Amino acid sequence: MSPRNLSRRDWLKQASLLGAAAPLGIASLPAIGQLGVQAPDQLIPREATPGLPAKLFAFDPSLYRFTADEDVFLDDIEQASFLYFWEQANPKTGQVEDRGSADGGALRNASSVAATGFGLTALCIAARRGWEEDTAVRDRVRITLNFALKNIQHQHGFLYHFISAETGQRLLNSEVSPIDTCLFLCGALTCRGFFDDKEIQGLATEFYERIDWTWVLHGGPTLAMGWLPEQGFLKSRWDTYSEMMMMYLLGFASRTHPLTPSVWNEWQRPRFEFDEIAYVGAHAPLFAHQFSHAWFNFRGTHDKFTDYFANSIVATRIHKMWCLELAQRFPDYADDLWGITASDSEHGYAIWGGPPAMGRIDGSIVPCASGGSLVFMPKECIRVLQNIREKFGKRIWKKYGFVDAFNPLTGWASSDVLGIDAGITLLMAENARTGFVWEQFAKNPEVAKGMELAGFQPNLKS
């Protein structure tokens, strides 16, 4: 099968197999206000999420407030995760390694632009919390954005998925990737919102305005998943619910090459059902319910189709219930030990999860599954993370925090950390604590504009 005919999931899996040889993984809307930068311990106001099914929830789980001890624990996770983005980035280019040893070590010179996008956001969190000197952080942001604009290969502003962190040249015959470019852009825009720095703001704006969103439509109603110089556009499209919502919202708000807002109606929102509970789902790992929410604050809003924040709460609870049902086959799964999303496995990088089940489920635990869901079910997710660290200790907790995945039944544990997995845990932990990433990202006027053009409205207060 040619790459042009691969689905997104098959493409990711093929890329991960290749990577095994080169060690790679792959102003009208409610917002968390214009409040300025908060002290690390200042809590944001939250409104209850309407419409959660009573069968699953006696109360809104997202309203839970962390205890002082839990907040310290999350700070440890965040600092360790940030250290990955600080040390596993090329200091001359700012490009972040796709993956690295959980114990630290030499750079592998294989970057993913998605990991760098998470890294740019991580730099904002670090500056805000004082983990590194402000001057050093700003310098790293400038280096990263400058290199991306001047040295990374691109097509119509879209970057290749995997690149050399030293040269910016394409690696692994990877595709020009709209979703990975968008993850980079989200990081750049977070920096534009947070840093009162004209150079950083200018670079981020230049990167955004260079992107020609209409090119990726390629004559169709939805965006193509990628482009290869050898074969052209992939046949698969971003035409169903997944992590791709951020891509369309930023495309609508583009000043230079905007998408037509009607495109929002063109992608499908499949109705899944589990234990007679319906929700919008995807034949994709759990990260499909997480990634857009790391930057876009969907809490308290809905479009004409659904409330996506409430939907992700439901999807997370259902994922937990599904994992607990699997305990009949894999007795490690328990109320305080669950979570499967795309990650390392004993057999290489795995696109696995559910429901419905996908991939070769074997009892492995993926910490970023609960880490990336901290804003949706904070009490239950932090319980999992605490249990993992307390029960498995140094086998799974290393210099950069949790290893990517491990299997309590076989004793296997990944030796690596993946940038996007450490990234989603870091960003969601910070949002669950303070809403900081949401707040800084929302300072960009395009964020509210994109959501308005897509038809988002405030939820009615009960």
Side-chain angles (χ1 to χ4, degrees):
M1 182 182 293
S2 71
R4 183 170 184 155
N5 294 322
L6 292 176
S7 71
R8 173 169 59 116
R9 307 301 165 191
D10 290 335
W11 172 260
L12 286 171
K13 184 165 288 189
Q14 185 180 90
S16 69
L17 292 173
L18 290 169
L24 275 177
I26 304 240
S28 60
L29 295 172
I32 302 299
Q34 304 300 321
L35 302 178
V37 178
Q38 304 156 181
D41 59 351
Q42 183 175 338
L43 297 173
I44 56 172
R46 298 174 183 170
E47 295 181 1
T49 305
L52 295 176
K55 185 176 181 178
L56 293 184
F57 305 101
F59 58 89
D60 181 353
S62 70
L63 296 178
Y64 177 77
R65 299 291 193 181
F66 297 117
T67 67
D69 287 345
E70 289 170 340
D71 196 66
V72 170
F73 173 67
L74 289 176
D75 205 73
D76 287 346
I77 292 177
E78 288 190 50
Q79 287 198 57
S81 299
F82 165 71
L83 193 60
Y84 175 85
F85 293 103
W86 188 252
E87 294 187 349
Q88 294 295 313
N90 187 305
K92 295 181 180 180
T93 70
Q95 306 308 302
V96 176
E97 296 291 292
D98 178 67
R99 66 161 69 222
S101 170
D103 287 318
L107 303 180
R108 299 172 180 176
N109 189 35
S111 171
S112 78
V113 297
T116 305
F118 278 105
L120 285 167
T121 308
L123 291 169
C124 298
I125 298 171
R128 180 258 189 148
R129 290 193 172 272
W131 295 336
E132 289 291 339
E133 291 292 330
D134 185 74
T135 300
V137 173
R138 289 175 185 247
D139 285 346
R140 177 69 66 84
V141 173
R142 294 188 193 101
I143 288 170
T144 305
L145 295 176
N146 261 307
F147 187 83
L149 281 165
K150 298 176 182 178
N151 298 94
I152 298 181
Q153 285 183 294
H154 73 93
Q155 292 290 332
H156 299 265
F158 291 95
L159 310 180
Y160 284 93
H161 191 158
F162 298 116
I163 62 165
S164 164
E166 290 186 356
T167 68
Q169 298 299 297
R170 173 195 188 198
L171 288 182
L172 291 174
N173 296 318
S174 61
E175 82 285 16
V176 168
S177 174
I179 190 64
D180 294 284
T181 302
C182 189
L183 288 165
F184 186 101
L185 175 60
C186 285
L189 291 177
T190 308
C191 291
R192 189 176 80 168
F194 176 69
F195 292 105
D196 184 14
D197 185 304
K198 290 184 178 181
E199 183 180 0
I200 290 174
Q201 293 170 349
L203 291 168
T205 299
E206 184 179 353
F207 184 87
Y208 188 5
E209 295 187 347
R210 187 179 70 176
I211 298 173
D212 185 354
W213 302 91
T214 59
W215 175 70
V216 190
L217 283 175
H218 184 50
T222 55
L223 300 174
M225 283 190 178
W227 179 90
L228 291 165
E230 298 85 4
Q231 300 182 39
F233 285 99
L234 303 180
K235 288 186 177 180
S236 299
R237 290 185 175 269
W238 293 100
D239 57 4
T240 190
Y241 171 81
S242 64
E243 69 275 18
M244 53 75 172
M245 291 191 294
M246 55 185 164
M247 199 162 46
Y248 284 106
L249 295 174
L250 291 176
F252 298 154
S254 170
R255 188 184 68 84
T256 52
H257 306 286
L259 293 173
T260 303
S262 60
V263 173
W264 190 253
N265 302 320
E266 298 295 332
W267 52 272
Q268 301 175 21
R269 296 156 177 84
R271 304 296 292 183
F272 283 55
E273 188 171 301
F274 184 88
D275 195 23
E276 300 181 344
I277 300 296
Y279 64 105
V280 176
H283 292 284
L286 191 59
F287 69 75
H289 298 286
Q290 298 173 346
F291 275 23
S292 284
H293 294 261
W295 289 276
F296 279 91
N297 181 17
F298 293 102
R299 183 195 287 274
T301 70
H302 66 279
D303 66 2
K304 69 180 183 180
F305 301 101
T306 195
D307 177 331
Y308 297 96
F309 190 85
N311 189 74
S312 284
I313 295 176
V314 172
T316 305
R317 173 62 64 82
I318 285 175
H319 178 78
K320 175 186 175 180
M321 294 165 60
W322 174 74
C323 286
L324 296 183
E325 286 191 359
L326 290 177
Q328 298 177 14
R329 295 168 55 200
F330 308 109
D332 57 320
Y333 293 146
D335 193 59
D336 58 0
L337 192 64
W338 53 269
I340 316 165
T341 188
S343 72
D344 277 349
S345 77
E346 292 186 66
H347 308 285
Y349 191 75
I351 307 297
W352 56 3
M358 62 183 303
R360 186 177 174 180
I361 309 297
D362 64 0
S364 289
I365 297 292
V366 186
C368 71
S370 51
S373 297
L374 280 162
V375 301
F376 307 125
M377 298 201 314
K379 184 176 183 178
E380 292 170 85
C381 289
I382 196 171
R383 182 181 177 189
V384 172
L385 297 174
Q386 288 176 316
N387 182 44
I388 292 173
R389 186 170 175 181
E390 292 168 2
K391 188 172 183 178
F392 301 98
K394 294 181 179 179
R395 186 158 69 87
I396 56 81
W397 180 264
K398 308 287 186 179
K399 183 178 184 179
Y400 298 138
F402 295 112
V403 299
D404 195 56
F406 67 102
N407 191 322
L409 302 179
T410 67
W412 169 83
S414 173
S415 60
D416 283 356
V417 168
L418 270 64
I420 60 173
D421 293 348
I424 192 63
T425 299
L426 169 56
L427 271 60
M428 289 304 219
E430 186 61 41
N431 277 333
R433 296 169 73 192
T434 67
F436 171 77
V437 178
W438 288 333
E439 179 189 10
Q440 302 310 311
F441 187 68
K443 289 181 179 180
N444 296 282
E446 295 90 348
V447 174
K449 179 180 179 181
M451 294 184 71
E452 185 174 8
L453 289 171
F456 279 86
Q457 298 178 7
N459 290 338
L460 295 176
K461 295 183 180 181
S462 57

